[in-house]
Amino acid sequence: MKSQEYSVRQSTPRVLEKFGNTNVYNLDSKTILNKATGYIGSYDFTLNPYRGCQYGCSYCYAAAFSPNSQMRQDWGNWVIVKQNAVELIEKELKKWYKRNPNKPPTIYMSSVTDPYQPLESQIQLTRGLLSVMIPYQPILVIQTRSPIIVRDIDLLKQFKRLRVNMSIPTGSESVRKDFEPQSPSIQARLNAIGKLRHNIPDNQDHQIRFSITITPLLPIFPEDETPFICKLEVIDRIVIQAFHSASQKSVLAATTRKEAVNLKEKYKWWYDNESEKYNNFLENLKALLCDVEVFEGKAGFGYD
Ligand code: SF4
């Protein structure tokens, strides 16, 4: 079956265009702010401008939410654009404030896609959503691994309460290339978070926070560990979490896809002693970064 022939339940998608090797589909969504549950259940809503993700990380749990098994296997090579997202969010924010006049909603963008994946540079859907959100001032957390976010500094600085989580799960570039070959380099992500920090003022009126999420911690070569940790001084918070165990049965475990399971074999020197390696890394983080708060897992994912 060619990837253009995927079937998606809501309606038959058409290939909007090719973006590199990615098939891009264009669909109307029923809602754009969805009730947050599970791991990020402390938020009011998740906000996913896209479905699917061009970065196609080998360990991504979001692949399990693909519309069908063919698309799940082809994770990383298709994206569904929620073309009516901007129109929807305005309506949904108005509705929220009608019911909760003095309570800004907490929004996590995004839980099953990267809002700044490469095609965002062309489509600018995330940018459109930010523009509409500014007058409503939600408490917003943006989760990404993309330097494209720096394009939106002009909008990001207008939020009163914003946290940017930059995902960097390893300090070893060769490991990054194995586990996430389509994603931006570690240095590009570090440069991006540094640029955001430098250009977005944090003051009483605009409480802007920056985290690095090391979730899950991937292998890191001993010689890369300390230099990597020292580069994380620019942020306020680190969130760290171990890789899910290969023995976990849940379909949502991070090892769902065979690519990640195969890589765990390649990095046996790490995974055979994973909890020891994880604990050593965590101790090293705490020792080297005294001014950065370190959270493990779920506890670090909120704005506060
Ligand atoms: S960037 Fe995030 S959503 Fe995209 S494939 Fe990687 S882990 Fe999944």
Side-chain angles (χ1 to χ4, degrees):
M1 179 189 272
K2 284 187 194 147
S3 51
Q4 286 93 330
E5 293 164 4
Y6 297 138
S7 70
V8 179
R9 218 170 287 146
Q10 296 112 301
S11 62
T12 307
R14 58 197 163 86
V15 177
L16 173 65
E17 63 180 320
K18 280 280 206 182
F19 190 100
N21 289 326
T22 313
N23 288 327
V24 183
Y25 302 97
N26 208 0
L27 281 185
D28 278 339
S29 197
K30 286 192 184 126
T31 56
I32 192 67
L33 292 175
N34 293 110
K35 189 173 162 36
T37 55
Y39 199 76
I40 42 171
S42 60
Y43 287 83
D44 293 308
F45 299 112
T46 57
L47 171 53
N48 290 285
Y50 303 105
R51 206 170 161 193
C53 183
Q54 290 172 286
Y55 290 143
C57 305
S58 61
Y59 52 86
C60 181
Y61 68 88
F65 299 103
S66 301
N68 57 50
S69 58
Q70 171 79 19
M71 291 174 93
R72 179 170 156 186
Q73 269 176 32
D74 208 20
W75 182 250
N77 294 319
W78 56 270
V79 176
I80 298 170
V81 179
K82 297 181 183 175
Q83 61 184 359
N84 59 340
V86 170
E87 186 189 316
L88 282 178
I89 201 167
E90 178 114 54
K91 282 187 196 151
E92 291 175 23
L93 284 170
K94 277 186 182 149
K95 195 169 153 195
W96 168 270
Y97 278 108
K98 241 182 190 173
R99 290 185 186 155
N100 309 278
N102 302 311
K103 186 174 176 278
T106 50
I107 298 178
Y108 183 83
M109 179 172 81
S110 296
S111 56
V112 291
T113 190
D114 192 312
Y116 285 102
Q117 60 189 291
L119 56 67
E120 167 60 22
S121 60
Q122 182 180 313
I123 293 179
Q124 304 207 13
L125 183 55
T126 296
R127 185 170 172 82
L129 289 166
L130 291 177
S131 302
V132 171
M133 278 191 274
I134 290 168
Y136 296 93
Q137 288 298 327
I139 299 169
L140 181 65
V141 173
I142 300 177
Q143 183 78 46
T144 184
R145 67 191 64 216
S146 173
I148 296 169
I149 189 173
V150 302
R151 178 201 64 191
D152 290 343
I153 285 175
D154 60 325
L155 300 179
L156 299 173
K157 61 170 48 157
Q158 296 180 55
F159 282 83
K160 293 199 162 84
R161 278 178 288 174
L162 169 74
R163 180 178 285 281
V164 176
N165 289 346
M166 180 63 76
S167 300
I168 313 183
T170 176
S172 295
E173 189 60 11
S174 58
V175 175
R176 194 278 302 162
K177 284 181 183 162
D178 272 345
F179 281 83
E180 339 172 326
Q182 287 153 228
S183 73
S185 70
I186 296 167
Q187 194 54 50
R189 298 182 219 186
L190 287 166
N191 292 348
I193 201 84
K195 203 164 179 183
L196 293 176
R197 172 119 230 186
H198 186 73
N199 287 285
I200 304 181
D202 172 30
N203 52 44
Q204 219 176 343
D205 295 331
H206 298 271
Q207 293 168 22
I208 315 296
R209 307 280 180 261
F210 299 97
S211 310
I212 299 287
T213 50
I214 307 178
T215 51
L217 174 65
L218 298 178
I220 178 163
F221 290 104
E223 64 274 22
D224 293 332
E225 192 164 316
T226 299
F228 172 59
I229 291 174
C230 291
K231 288 180 188 163
L232 305 182
E233 274 172 336
V234 291
I235 42 99
D236 311 293
R237 177 184 293 179
I238 290 172
V239 190
I240 181 168
Q241 181 181 303
F243 207 103
H244 291 82
S245 156
S247 62
Q248 268 181 302
K249 294 281 184 279
S250 163
V251 292
L252 301 184
T255 49
T256 298
R257 295 171 69 226
K258 71 173 182 338
E259 292 89 335
V261 176
N262 294 343
L263 283 167
K264 286 183 89 168
E265 273 301 304
K266 177 173 177 182
Y267 287 93
K268 260 175 99 57
W269 60 270
W270 174 277
Y271 287 110
D272 280 353
N273 299 300
E274 190 187 5
S275 54
E276 189 190 321
K277 301 276 192 213
Y278 173 90
N279 288 331
N280 289 345
F281 185 85
L282 182 60
E283 272 175 33
N284 210 357
L285 265 183
K286 289 179 177 169
L288 289 167
L289 297 178
C290 306
D291 295 332
V292 178
E293 53 183 8
V294 176
F295 285 91
E296 286 189 81
K298 194 174 173 179
F301 271 89
Y303 166 80
D304 291 312

